[in-house]
Amino acid sequence: MYFSSALFFHKINWLTNLTLKSIIIFALAGFIIAVIFENWAFTNNEWSYSSEMPLLPFSTMGILPVLQMMLLPTITFYIAKKIFQKKKRKYTTAN
């Protein structure tokens, strides 16, 4: 995912410039990936949900798997950016 993002942003160290725009792009990409995967899984009878799974309105897809694909990559990249910035500050102040 990092490499595909580098290709998309045309920058190998795109994480250092993580912006609201890129966060929105990740969330939308996660939504699209989740919808495609969920549709594939249901079409191929790979799994099903219990009656307790909250569903997206007007669909048979669970809200939680879709939210997971939208939020986890975004949060992971945000945390990685903060760690990178902290290490960068530590390195620049040490030299």
Side-chain angles (χ1 to χ4, degrees):
M1 200 167 178
Y2 186 91
F3 181 70
S4 60
S5 298
L7 290 174
F8 179 80
F9 292 116
H10 304 288
K11 192 172 185 180
I12 194 69
N13 62 342
W14 61 269
L15 190 57
T16 59
N17 297 324
L18 192 62
T19 63
L20 181 60
K21 177 184 173 185
S22 57
I23 290 171
I24 291 170
I25 289 170
F26 285 125
L28 288 174
F31 178 79
I32 291 168
I33 291 167
V35 166
I36 290 169
F37 187 75
E38 292 288 312
N39 281 329
W40 174 84
F42 279 116
T43 302
N44 294 302
N45 293 319
E46 293 293 325
W47 68 66
S48 62
Y49 296 126
S50 76
S51 60
E52 297 167 3
M53 170 64 83
L55 301 177
L56 286 173
F58 310 109
S59 78
T60 58
M61 289 180 278
I63 290 175
L64 298 178
V66 173
L67 283 176
Q68 176 182 339
M69 283 300 295
M70 290 176 68
L71 296 177
L72 284 181
T74 305
I75 292 168
T76 301
F77 288 137
Y78 179 78
I79 292 170
K81 176 187 176 179
K82 292 297 181 186
I83 291 170
F84 179 77
Q85 287 174 334
K86 185 176 180 181
K87 288 188 182 265
K88 186 177 178 183
R89 277 194 304 268
K90 183 178 177 182
Y91 177 76
T92 55
T93 54
N95 290 329

